[in-house]
Amino acid sequence: MMFTPLSTQQIILRRTFVVIAGVLSFPILMLMPTSIKSRVYSYLHKVWLKTSTKPVWLKQSEHGVQELY
């Protein structure tokens, strides 16, 4: 197997980090331009989705192909 899955503990820690970072950054980001907000929330979304060493974009692109066929 080329990509190794993350342990349940790692996934929970990553998602806890995302929630804390999102809540703490919300008041600051409300004052920022939309482009910065978009980049920060996109990064947090990517961290939330990651469950293995496989890049998130690759996993999502494979999932999209399965929906077509």
Side-chain angles (χ1 to χ4, degrees):
M1 182 175 207
M2 268 176 85
F3 303 105
T4 57
L6 298 176
S7 69
T8 304
Q9 182 181 11
Q10 286 175 312
I11 294 171
I12 291 172
L13 285 173
R14 289 176 72 91
R15 291 185 176 182
T16 302
F17 164 75
V18 168
V19 170
I20 291 170
V23 169
L24 292 177
S25 67
F26 181 75
I28 298 165
L29 289 175
M30 291 306 295
L31 304 173
M32 298 291 182
T34 305
S35 62
I36 294 174
K37 284 189 256 187
S38 299
R39 277 188 259 151
V40 171
Y41 288 128
S42 177
Y43 173 76
L44 291 176
H45 181 69
K46 182 174 70 171
V47 172
W48 179 273
L49 290 178
K50 193 158 180 77
T51 57
S52 71
T53 56
K54 181 184 284 192
V56 173
W57 65 268
L58 181 59
K59 184 176 180 180
Q60 288 183 334
S61 66
E62 290 173 349
H63 181 68
V65 171
Q66 292 173 354
E67 289 178 357
L68 294 175
Y69 297 105

